[in-house]
């Protein structure tokens, strides 16, 4: 007999959807959207529906595995846990706890995923990651400007006169925002899309503006120049609610609009047009994540923040510099879950440069790696270096559900539960501010275990089992304890399925900021204290014809690596039918210059590596632009990251995945 239960999408995604899951004979057979959710309203994407296939696939890893003489052999959980804990004890005793690296990403948006930090803190502290491949530069940038990264609630868009979608294809990555944009347009609100690629979101816009990849901050500077020339700025905000404006004004006076137009490849009259749009507030800016994945990525976000600020679009309904909403994650009692005070030592490396750290770290060397919630062999920049690094570890442990590129390198693979096989609550800090309940609906397949169970068993063997002597219900109540005064408890979530978190729908409405000065900081005091230049600049990407002309002569085209349509990063590629192939999307000018046609096989390369794929011509994209979707596995042609650099962004908290020049030829 089939029964339908409420549930939630575990994928770390903008939309964080509510589900209705049909279970029959102990098996998930169908996933649909829950119409009662106030944001997602019953509509879900193909990535969410794919979770049915993910939980039931015959390719799932169902038993602990150990590599012996190059082959994986099935072992018992007792053996796996004894040997892995033995390795952890041995490396800590001989070299110190930081000889262990915890490599992780964001494959799961569940609250109890945070128990990995509790384990490693109680272990004593390991080499851990800072920053983010995905959004780290922008988070740090907005922390410098505002004191944190907060966004307006979805419904606030209808208060706008204009909405600027900057470097973000919401039709692909944020379907419920896409619906809100359609609603806004019908209400007479003007939509503007700024992007190197004429994407599905641009198709519904009132105006599409094409820009050279990586030059978005310079465009913001040009718009600000015109705002000041036309006297459209908000003098009250500038004089009463900010510091450092004189530095910004001097910067803008140091450059001509003609120069900005030449490097951004955006006509000057477009900047004038956008100045009027921003000056006619409220105007909401919806940031994408790609434009901060450059060597100048943090500065880019800061310049767009500054544009929203000088035009008076901060702290008002219908406005905002909407990059992320960390109010959501800050609602939970993560300190209680993670016990940061138990850490007695530690070492940090950026997520982008963990491969370099493995290869070069000393005092101590990194001997052991534990990978959770990630597939670094596919997602890390500079795939060849990543493969060399993870292959060099004495011991590699991977917790996963499938034999990923990373798992193939492992010495031990510990199979973990899939969605719907355990209870958790799910949230995302990128779009809306609802927390969703996900009950346990079916028993785990095979011998798959929850992350929580694995950490608990390892903790017992390592002598701090008392810190894990809690039930799953205990853990959930612990994480939700900070919300009890707001009426959000485990019991209420079980009954009501989801809850609105107590966040401010219009952040900074009191014009008081979390910076040291309490004001918006055009020149950041926090940046200066951290040893950075606090002033804004007109910095360019690292790989351009202006910054590295010799490299650009050899590799004349800009490579983007955007989020795939059908997979949450690398998670679903192996489940797709037909089997995926590398698709090389090229702008029309490149196709004409190289004499490429749809369906041709092309080779794309630079000094870091090469990749072959099937050509698809982008009918409307900025000249000189190539895109290869990220996340593809080696057995389906390989990751675009064989071409990307592991350099850090300017504030050292983000990647430079889009800061990449390549060449292309017919293969």
């Amino acid at each position: 007999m089939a029964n339908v239960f409420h549930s939630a999408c575990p994928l770390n995604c903008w939309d964080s959807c509510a589900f209705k899951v049909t279970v029959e004979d102990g098996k998930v057979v169908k996933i649909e959207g829950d119409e009662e959710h106030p944001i997602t309203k019953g509509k879900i994407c193909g990535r969410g529906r794919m979770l049915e296939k993910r939980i039931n696939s015959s390719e799932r890893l169902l038993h602990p595995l150990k590599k012996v003489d190059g082959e994986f052999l099935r072992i018992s959980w007792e053996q796996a846990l004894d040997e892995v804990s033995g390795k952890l004890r041995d490396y800590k005793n001989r070299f110190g706890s930081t000889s262990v690296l915890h490599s992780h990403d964001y494959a799961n948006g569940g609250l109890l995923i945070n128990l990995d930090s509790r384990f490693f803190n109680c272990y004593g502290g390991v080499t851990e990651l800072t920053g983010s491949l995905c959004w780290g530069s922008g988070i740090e940038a907005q922390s410098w400007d505002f004191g944190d990264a907060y966004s307006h609630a979805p419904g606030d868009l209808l208060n706008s006169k204009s909405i600027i979608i900057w470097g973000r294809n919401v039709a692909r990555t944020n379907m419920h925002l896409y619906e809100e944009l359609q609603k806004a347009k019908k209400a007479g609100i003007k939509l503007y899309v700024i992007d190197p690629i004429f994407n599905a979101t641009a198709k519904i816009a009132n105006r599409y503006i094409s820009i050279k990849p990586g030059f978005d901050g310079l465009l913001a500077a040009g718009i600000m120049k015109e705002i000041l020339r036309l006297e459209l700025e908000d003098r009250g905000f500038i004089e009463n609610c900010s510091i450092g404006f004189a530095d910004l004004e001097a910067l803008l006076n140091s450059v001509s609009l003609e120069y900005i137009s030449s490097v951004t490849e955006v006509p000057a009259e477009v900047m004038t047009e956008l100045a009027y749009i921003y000056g006619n507030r409220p105007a909401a800016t919806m940031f994408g994540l790609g434009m901060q994945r450059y060597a100048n990525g943090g500065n880019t976000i800061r310049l767009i923040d500054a544009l929203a600020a000088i035009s008076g679009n901060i702290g008002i309904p219908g406005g905002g510099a909407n990059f992320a909403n960390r109010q959501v994650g800050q609602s939970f009692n993560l300190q209680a879950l993670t016990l940061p005070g138990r850490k007695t030592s530690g070492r940090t490396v950026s997520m982008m440069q963990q491969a370099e750290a493995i290869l070069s770290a000393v005092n101590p060397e990194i001997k052991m790696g534990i990978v959770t919630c990630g597939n670094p062999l596919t997602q890390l920049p500079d795939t060849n270096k990543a493969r060399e690094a993870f292959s060099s570890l004495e011991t590699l442990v991977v917790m996963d559900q499938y034999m990923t590129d990373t798992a193939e390198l492992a010495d031990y693979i510990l199979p973990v539960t899939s969605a719907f096989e355990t209870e958790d609550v799910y949230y995302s800090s990128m779009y809306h501010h609802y927390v969703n309940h996900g009950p346990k609906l079916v028993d785990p397949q095979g011998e798959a275990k929850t992350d929580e169970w694995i950490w608990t068993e390892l903790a017992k063997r390592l002598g701090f089992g008392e810190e894990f002597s809690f039930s799953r219900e205990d853990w959930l109540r612990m994480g939700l304890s900070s919300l009890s005064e707001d009426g959000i408890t485990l019991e209420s979530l079980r009954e009501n399925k989801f809850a609105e978190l107590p966040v401010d729908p219009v952040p900074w409405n009191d014009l008081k900021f979390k910076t040291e000065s309490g004001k918006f900081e055009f020149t950041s005091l926090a940046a200066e204290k951290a040893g950075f230049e606090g002033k804004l600049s007109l910095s360019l990407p690292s790989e351009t014809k202006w910054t590295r002309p010799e490299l650009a002569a050899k590799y004349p085209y800009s490579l983007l690596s955007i989020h795939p349509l059908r997979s949450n990063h690398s998670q679903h590629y192996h489940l797709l039918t037909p089997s995926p192939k590398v698709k090389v999307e090229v702008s029309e000018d490149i196709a004409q210059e190289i004499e490429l046609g749809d369906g041709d096989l092309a080779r794309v390369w630079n000094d870091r590596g090469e990749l072959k794929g099937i050509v698809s011509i982008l009918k409307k994209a900025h000249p000189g632009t190539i895109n290869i979707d990220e996340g593809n596995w080696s057995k389906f042609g390989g990751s675009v990251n064989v071409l990307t650099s592991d350099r850090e962004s300017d504030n050292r908290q983000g990647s430079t995945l889009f800061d990449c020049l390549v060449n292309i030829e017919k293969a």
Side-chain angles (χ1 to χ4, degrees):
M1 180 178 176
N3 292 289
V4 179
F5 301 92
H6 80 264
S7 192
C9 187
L11 300 176
N12 189 288
C13 169
W14 294 91
D15 293 81
S16 194
C17 296
F19 285 167
K20 292 191 304 186
V21 178
T22 303
V23 177
E24 187 171 4
D25 297 328
K27 180 179 179 181
V28 172
V29 297
K30 189 176 184 180
I31 300 172
E32 299 175 291
D34 187 338
E35 301 89 344
E36 295 182 6
H37 194 279
I39 302 296
T40 61
K41 299 177 182 177
K43 295 185 178 180
I44 63 172
C45 72
R47 294 184 288 270
R49 295 185 193 278
M50 186 73 73
L51 291 168
E52 178 273 322
K53 191 172 183 180
R54 185 172 180 88
I55 192 174
N56 294 319
S57 172
S58 61
E59 296 180 32
R60 273 192 69 180
L61 300 172
L62 300 178
H63 309 282
L65 300 174
K66 178 182 180 179
K67 187 175 287 179
V68 180
D69 297 328
E71 299 291 332
F72 282 111
L73 302 180
R74 177 178 170 179
I75 60 174
S76 68
W77 269 110
E78 183 176 9
Q79 180 182 348
L81 294 165
D82 286 347
E83 292 186 10
V84 170
S85 61
K87 297 281 187 181
L88 284 165
R89 184 182 300 105
D90 178 57
Y91 287 127
K92 181 178 180 179
N93 290 339
R94 287 198 292 149
F95 307 107
S97 62
T98 56
S99 63
V100 176
L101 167 72
H102 177 211
S103 175
H104 65 86
D105 217 311
Y106 303 100
N108 184 302
L111 177 62
L112 297 193
I113 288 300
N114 290 287
L115 291 175
D116 57 3
S117 294
R118 185 186 190 92
F119 175 83
F120 289 112
N121 287 336
C122 290
Y123 173 70
V126 294
T127 298
E128 54 191 346
L129 305 181
T130 60
S132 167
L133 296 172
C134 186
W135 65 350
S137 293
I139 294 291
E140 186 73 358
Q142 293 209 318
S143 295
W144 288 0
D145 296 338
F146 298 96
D148 216 327
Y150 293 164
S151 291
H152 290 226
D156 183 61
L157 277 178
L158 293 178
N159 294 316
S160 306
K161 291 181 180 177
S162 302
I163 303 170
I164 301 92
I165 304 98
W166 203 322
R168 180 169 170 183
N169 183 8
V170 300
R172 175 177 285 205
T173 61
N174 195 179
M175 63 182 292
H176 298 95
L177 174 56
Y178 185 74
E179 291 183 331
E180 288 297 303
L181 295 178
Q182 291 175 309
K183 188 188 303 182
K185 188 178 180 183
K186 286 181 181 178
I189 299 166
K190 301 296 184 183
L191 306 183
Y192 301 84
V193 169
I194 304 170
D195 202 284
I197 296 176
F198 184 77
N199 52 45
T201 309
K203 290 178 181 178
I204 68 167
N206 297 94
R207 181 87 155 88
Y208 165 65
I209 296 153
S210 179
I211 184 171
K212 187 172 182 63
F215 288 78
D216 305 86
L218 272 291
L219 175 58
I223 300 168
M224 284 191 282
K225 279 184 69 70
E226 286 296 88
I227 285 175
L228 295 177
R229 181 181 70 82
L230 296 166
E231 298 183 348
L232 299 171
E233 73 274 17
D234 184 342
R235 276 286 157 187
F237 180 90
I238 291 168
E239 292 171 5
N240 300 318
C241 305
S242 75
I243 64 169
F245 176 72
D247 293 334
L248 172 62
E249 194 169 29
L251 177 70
L252 297 176
N253 288 336
S254 73
V255 66
S256 69
L257 205 63
E258 291 72 25
Y259 167 77
I260 293 174
S261 179
S262 70
V263 296
T264 60
E265 299 176 0
V266 176
E269 56 266 27
V270 172
M271 299 179 212
T272 306
E273 176 187 356
L274 288 167
Y276 281 113
I277 290 163
Y278 272 95
N280 184 29
R281 53 188 174 268
T285 305
M286 313 302 290
F287 292 77
L289 303 184
M291 60 190 173
Q292 42 99 54
R293 296 173 186 159
Y294 292 86
N296 63 335
N299 189 69
T300 291
I301 300 303
R302 294 194 66 212
L303 284 167
I304 303 175
D305 286 348
L307 168 58
I310 72 163
S311 59
N313 284 297
I314 299 301
I316 62 171
N322 301 286
F323 180 81
N325 197 355
R326 295 213 298 177
Q327 295 179 91
V328 174
Q330 291 166 358
S331 300
F332 300 96
N333 192 350
L334 298 183
Q335 292 261 336
L337 286 177
T338 60
L339 294 183
R342 287 294 304 272
K343 181 167 60 176
T344 56
S345 63
R347 175 171 60 185
T348 60
V349 299
S350 76
M351 185 175 285
M352 292 63 68
Q353 294 198 322
Q354 57 187 293
E356 179 62 33
I358 292 170
L359 294 171
S360 62
V362 294
N363 300 323
E365 296 178 5
I366 296 175
K367 300 290 187 178
M368 181 179 187
I370 299 182
V371 177
T372 63
C373 279
N375 182 12
L377 261 290
T378 297
Q379 297 300 141
L380 278 185
D382 199 341
T383 302
N384 292 324
K385 182 186 286 187
R387 179 171 294 278
E388 177 190 1
F390 281 85
S391 298
S392 73
L393 290 168
E394 288 186 5
T395 304
L396 177 61
V397 179
V398 173
M399 295 166 57
D400 212 308
Q401 298 157 5
Y402 286 92
M403 188 61 74
T404 64
D405 289 356
T406 307
E408 288 181 348
L409 293 182
D411 298 288
Y412 296 90
I413 302 177
L414 307 182
V416 292
T417 49
S418 187
F420 320 125
E421 294 175 341
T422 188
E423 184 179 21
D424 211 337
V425 297
Y426 299 97
Y427 60 94
S428 181
S429 296
M430 296 181 284
Y431 177 50
H432 68 76
H433 53 278
Y434 280 77
V435 57
N436 302 328
H437 178 248
K440 179 181 177 180
L441 301 180
V442 295
D443 290 330
Q445 293 194 24
E447 293 184 286
K449 300 292 186 182
T450 65
D451 297 51
E452 166 221 350
W453 183 88
I454 295 171
W455 299 131
T456 299
E457 292 300 315
L458 289 173
K460 290 176 182 176
R461 288 163 170 79
L462 290 167
F464 49 91
E466 72 280 358
E467 299 293 4
F468 282 81
S469 59
F470 301 94
S471 68
R472 195 158 186 97
E473 289 192 355
D474 292 335
W475 292 122
L476 288 168
R477 289 192 179 93
M478 191 183 297
L480 293 166
S481 60
S482 52
L483 291 163
S484 59
E485 292 184 0
D486 299 287
I488 300 174
T489 63
L490 179 58
E491 287 69 28
S492 70
L493 282 174
R494 285 171 169 171
E495 180 179 354
N496 299 322
K497 303 186 289 188
F498 35 76
E500 184 176 10
L501 293 168
V503 307
D504 194 336
V506 180
W508 319 122
N509 61 82
D510 59 359
L511 298 180
K512 295 178 181 178
F513 301 93
K514 291 174 66 176
T515 56
E516 182 178 326
S517 66
K519 299 183 177 185
F520 181 91
E521 296 188 355
F522 293 106
T523 296
S524 169
L525 301 179
E528 292 175 349
K529 281 193 170 183
F532 295 91
E533 172 59 68
K535 297 179 183 179
L536 290 161
S537 73
L538 300 173
S539 57
L540 304 181
S542 176
E543 298 191 6
T544 73
K545 63 183 179 182
W546 292 278
T547 49
R548 300 181 67 185
E550 293 179 2
L551 184 72
K554 190 176 179 182
Y555 304 114
Y557 307 119
S558 298
L559 175 69
L560 303 178
S561 46
I562 65 176
H563 192 287
L565 176 63
R566 300 170 64 199
S567 179
N568 198 53
H569 302 298
S570 70
Q571 289 188 69
H572 290 348
Y573 272 88
H574 60 299
L575 303 173
L576 300 177
T577 52
S579 294
K581 298 178 181 178
V582 176
K583 181 168 71 170
V584 180
E585 297 179 296
V586 301
S587 55
E588 286 187 311
D589 64 302
I590 297 176
Q592 293 171 4
E593 182 180 348
I594 310 298
E595 298 183 352
L596 293 170
D598 283 324
D600 284 345
L601 182 66
R603 170 180 173 256
V604 184
W605 80 98
N606 59 21
D607 291 340
R608 289 178 286 269
E610 68 172 51
L611 197 63
K612 291 182 179 179
I614 306 300
V615 170
S616 177
I617 298 173
L618 294 165
K619 300 305 180 186
K620 196 172 181 181
H622 201 81
T625 302
I626 297 173
N627 175 68
I628 302 174
D629 288 359
E630 53 94 3
N632 200 10
W633 295 24
S634 59
K635 67 181 179 181
F636 302 122
S639 170
V640 66
N641 286 325
V642 297
L643 302 164
T644 60
S645 165
D646 68 349
R647 289 188 303 267
E648 298 166 317
S649 64
D650 44 9
N651 55 32
R652 297 203 293 270
Q653 295 302 306
S655 70
T656 57
L657 290 167
F658 285 19
D659 200 337
C660 182
L661 291 179
V662 296
N663 210 333
I664 185 172
E665 65 182 6
K666 188 179 293 187

